[in-house]
Amino acid sequence: MPRPRSPIASPFTRRSRAHAKLRKSTTEVGRVILVRALATNDWERIERAAEQAIEIAKRFGDTDYEALAVAYSGLAMLSTGRLDQGLALLDEAMAAATAGEVRAPEAVGQIYCALLAGCERTVDLQRAEQWSRVAQPFLAAYERIGVTGTCRAVYAGVLTAAGRWSEAERELLVALQTFDAGSRAMRGDALVRLADLRVRQGRLDEAVGLLEGLEGHPDAQRPMAELELARDRPHVAAALLERRIHQLGPANVQAAPLLACLVEARIAAGDPTAARSAAGALAALSAAAGDSVRGLARLASGLSTAAEGGDAVPELEVALHHLQQAEMSWEASRARLAIAEAVRERNPEFAIREARLAMAGFAAIGARPGADRAASLVRRLGAHPPAGARTGSALSRREEEVARMVGLGLSNDTIAARLFLSRRTVESHVSSILRKLGLANRAEIAAYAVRRLVERRDSV
């Protein structure tokens, strides 16, 4: 009996296979082009690569990759100031992903993360919440893949900016659990955002621990700078911020919160001219941005005006309006406290009112340093914080010793030598004193130490 012959592919079948192979290899080229561009963090280059990838995906009918490239094109437009165009493309890609037009779960996850990244940069909580509700089936089905942890971390960044800190913390802890289950190398995205939250809460020692080993992470620069500000090292803070701003480029929306922090660092360093320059860069960035960036720009300009000795209230009032519209509770409370500080001499009653409102705003979201600082201003104006308000706790005996030595004008190195402590321990004590008393810098610690000595003398 003759042996059955192996089937021979027809010319049509061979051509189909060759076309499929060519299609796959060509779309892979498009993916490589976009991935390489994303690695540069150059959003103009990313936009060009995304447009090229969209053309390739359309030519070969790769709907997964087309939607992903559209999402990154939108994020690139948003990042370079074209908010309306960018958000429209992000919405388009997300609609395709949630309608079932995108099949690969990794592509759906990356599109969702791109959408949330856009929301984080513009503090668009409403859009993030709407799409998060739509994306819940995806999150439930693929909660253990690494990209889901990244999505949660970015969403937590939106929640942090919007003052919903308890929800942000829950999202970050779930993200870390997701990473621990299989993508530990990706934990940095969640850790730096949790560190940022801890700094705002005044839990500085925890923030230091979270940032250990992540000094090179791009999103770690702002919390590290804020830690340096808390340690009364504004020049170090400014250098960290300027490095990251240079990497991003001044036209990148991601630079907005960094520029706002740089203004504070330059003011703390006693350089109002440099602060005004940073505020000007932020104002230029805000021209095509939404309420969040406009609010930060006005707040930065108002703080610069106050440092220059001018009337900052008009700018701060506009900042407060924009920040409230953007639902940025922490920044809005900071603007209100800045108004109180600006009017405290000419209108102390109004200053007390604004400081108390700022204190309530800080306390509502768990921003202990801000609440303590507002309470300190209320007391300095001869009033009392609201009954039951959580203000600075008493200093420990060691912290009292450190405060007294700061009052004598001693450096951290000298204090460490006299108390037989490490420099880092002294820095930690200084940070704790600032946090507990709601003070801004070493000069205010010195003033506290002098008042404390007078109180002790009078009580004898």
Side-chain angles (χ1 to χ4, degrees):
M1 182 174 180
R3 183 179 299 174
R5 298 174 62 185
S6 299
I8 299 176
S10 69
F12 176 77
T13 302
R14 288 197 297 270
R15 284 196 299 271
S16 297
R17 289 175 179 171
H19 179 74
K21 186 175 181 180
L22 176 62
R23 172 182 177 275
K24 182 177 180 181
S25 62
T26 307
T27 54
E28 286 299 325
V29 168
R31 293 173 191 267
V32 170
I33 290 171
L34 184 53
V35 168
R36 285 180 174 174
L38 287 168
T40 68
N41 205 31
D42 180 341
W43 287 105
E44 292 182 356
R45 179 176 171 181
I46 292 167
E47 184 178 354
R48 291 193 299 270
E51 289 173 356
Q52 189 176 354
I54 291 170
E55 291 179 7
I56 294 172
K58 283 182 176 179
R59 190 183 314 155
F60 292 94
D62 189 340
T63 55
D64 285 6
Y65 197 57
E66 180 185 350
L68 182 58
V70 167
Y72 280 119
S73 179
L75 186 57
M77 288 183 178
L78 179 149
S79 298
T80 52
R82 290 163 289 165
L83 266 64
D84 292 340
Q85 293 171 273
L87 289 171
L89 288 180
L90 285 166
D91 285 341
E92 178 186 331
M94 196 65 194
T98 54
E101 297 175 25
V102 181
R103 294 183 178 85
E106 291 80 7
V108 177
Q110 288 174 334
I111 291 168
Y112 180 50
C113 281
L115 180 281
L116 290 176
C119 292
E120 184 179 29
R121 290 169 197 182
T122 56
V123 195
D124 193 339
L125 179 62
Q126 185 177 8
R127 179 177 264 100
E129 287 187 322
Q130 288 172 345
W131 280 119
S132 293
R133 285 193 292 270
V134 175
Q136 278 307 310
F138 161 77
L139 294 175
Y142 300 104
E143 66 174 335
R144 290 302 174 191
I145 68 171
V147 72
T148 309
T150 300
C151 292
R152 288 189 180 278
V154 177
Y155 182 43
V158 183
L159 293 169
T160 298
R164 290 165 55 171
W165 290 2
S166 59
E167 295 173 64
E169 184 166 344
R170 284 197 297 271
E171 289 290 333
L172 288 168
L173 294 177
V174 172
L176 288 170
Q177 290 173 357
T178 302
F179 292 136
D180 287 342
S183 305
R184 290 188 62 83
M186 299 172 65
R187 286 165 52 90
D189 290 339
L191 289 173
V192 296
R193 286 173 172 81
L194 185 56
D196 183 51
L197 178 59
R198 292 291 183 251
V199 172
R200 297 185 185 201
Q201 292 170 326
R203 296 159 67 172
L204 303 184
D205 292 341
E206 292 179 52
V208 170
L210 290 165
L211 291 169
E212 190 171 347
L214 293 172
E215 292 80 6
H217 193 290
D219 294 332
Q221 304 309 304
R222 188 176 69 169
M224 287 195 302
E226 289 176 343
L227 280 170
E228 294 297 344
L229 276 175
R231 292 168 173 166
D232 197 30
R233 297 200 298 217
H235 293 290
V236 178
L240 290 170
L241 293 164
E242 287 175 338
R243 174 190 293 166
R244 181 58 180 151
I245 292 165
H246 178 73
Q247 291 170 349
L248 290 169
N252 193 324
V253 172
Q254 287 177 274
L258 299 166
L259 285 165
C261 191
L262 179 58
V263 169
E264 295 186 55
R266 288 306 187 190
I267 290 172
D271 191 347
T273 302
R276 174 58 67 187
S277 176
L282 182 51
L285 189 60
S286 72
D291 280 316
S292 61
V293 181
R294 291 193 191 107
L296 289 176
R298 288 290 191 160
L299 176 57
S301 183
L303 294 174
S304 296
T305 299
E308 294 163 345
D311 181 9
V313 174
E315 291 172 294
L316 294 172
E317 290 285 1
V318 175
L320 179 60
H321 169 73
H322 283 303
L323 295 169
Q324 287 177 326
Q325 289 294 111
E327 300 182 60
M328 298 172 71
S329 305
W330 185 60
E331 286 84 356
S333 295
R334 294 172 70 211
R336 195 181 288 279
L337 180 56
I339 291 170
E341 290 172 337
V343 303
R344 62 183 179 182
E345 292 186 3
R346 67 176 183 264
N347 194 342
E349 292 183 355
F350 184 65
I352 291 169
R353 174 190 181 276
E354 293 299 288
R356 282 175 167 164
L357 288 172
M359 182 180 173
F362 284 127
I365 60 176
R368 184 66 177 270
D372 288 347
R373 186 172 176 182
S376 177
L377 177 57
V378 171
R379 286 193 292 269
R380 291 201 305 273
L381 290 169
H384 298 285
R390 296 180 61 190
T391 59
S393 56
L395 300 185
S396 68
R397 191 168 77 174
R398 178 66 82 186
E399 288 167 345
E400 286 278 3
E401 288 180 308
V402 171
R404 181 172 57 80
M405 291 187 177
V406 170
L408 294 173
L410 303 182
S411 68
N412 285 351
D413 287 333
T414 303
I415 295 171
R418 290 197 180 186
L419 296 180
F420 302 100
L421 301 172
S422 70
R423 176 188 172 89
R424 186 161 184 171
T425 299
V426 174
E427 290 173 353
S428 178
H429 283 315
V430 171
S431 297
S432 180
I433 293 165
L434 291 168
R435 182 176 72 254
K436 286 184 176 182
L437 300 180
L439 304 178
N441 48 46
R442 294 174 74 90
E444 292 190 6
I445 293 178
Y448 161 83
V450 171
R451 289 197 307 271
R452 188 72 168 164
L453 289 172
V454 171
E455 289 170 3
R456 286 180 176 172
R457 183 195 64 195
D458 292 344
S459 64
V460 174

